[in-house]
Amino acid sequence: MSELAIGDIAPQFDIPRDGGGTVSLQTFAGKPVVLYFYPKDDTSGCTTEALAFTALLPEFEKTGAAVIGVSPDTVKKHDKFVEKHALAVILGSDEDTAVANLYGVWKEKSMYGRKYMGIDRTTFLIDAHGRIANVWPKVKVAGHAEEVLKALQTL
């Protein structure tokens, strides 16, 4: 799928989540959603990002927003990640990368000259009407959760 832009309707999804059950964008209809895609549980940047969103979760919740992290990791890995770091955000398991493809964040990457497919760390702010209000591609983790919160507070 081509890149999503501000004003586009956010693609619907229903995927397994940490703790069992599923997470669906439809569940949060009428509320804003912070949907962040990250490459892998329990890596340095991904842990820092999840901890930052968890620390600010009460502020996100004051706006009525849900915070959902999505990676290709299994629910079992998500559960270990949540337990190890006391995470409070929802973690969706996109093992087949269908959601990452819908949102245009499953991309060819390169490390040390080796090409491979992976998640391009990206955050989407979805408004209460289900439209994309903001997009942060190629996220740099430091200060990111705070930046997303500020954008959310201006919706």
Side-chain angles (χ1 to χ4, degrees):
M1 180 172 194
S2 62
E3 303 256 333
L4 294 172
I6 292 172
D8 289 348
I9 294 184
Q12 294 293 322
F13 60 85
D14 188 3
I15 54 176
R17 65 162 289 181
D18 63 296
T22 61
V23 60
S24 166
L25 190 57
Q26 185 59 38
T27 302
F28 304 101
K31 297 179 179 183
V33 173
V34 174
L35 181 64
Y36 75 95
F37 289 88
Y38 66 98
K40 189 171 174 59
D41 287 346
D42 220 12
T43 57
S44 175
C46 298
T47 300
T48 300
E49 186 176 28
L51 287 170
F53 277 119
T54 293
L56 291 174
L57 191 60
E59 296 302 311
F60 282 100
E61 290 174 339
K62 283 180 188 174
T63 71
V67 179
I68 304 167
V70 176
S71 83
D73 290 305
T74 64
V75 169
K76 187 175 179 180
K77 285 184 181 176
H78 281 341
D79 288 341
K80 287 179 182 177
F81 188 39
V82 166
E83 185 177 335
K84 181 176 180 181
H85 298 286
L87 301 176
V89 296
I90 297 167
L91 297 181
S93 175
D94 186 26
E95 285 187 77
D96 64 3
T97 67
V99 179
N101 276 299
L102 278 175
Y103 280 81
V105 300
W106 185 250
K107 297 185 176 182
E108 184 175 78
K109 300 172 95 175
S110 179
M111 186 182 294
Y112 306 119
R114 184 179 72 86
K115 294 191 181 301
Y116 63 98
M117 295 300 289
I119 295 281
D120 190 19
R121 188 185 307 274
T122 305
T123 300
F124 295 87
L125 177 56
I126 302 167
D127 70 18
H129 305 289
R131 292 198 175 271
I132 296 174
N134 210 331
V135 181
W136 291 266
K138 300 188 184 313
V139 166
K140 301 294 182 223
V141 174
H144 178 62
E146 293 83 356
E147 185 180 348
V148 174
L149 179 60
K150 284 179 187 170
L152 173 64
Q153 291 168 333
T154 64
L155 277 185

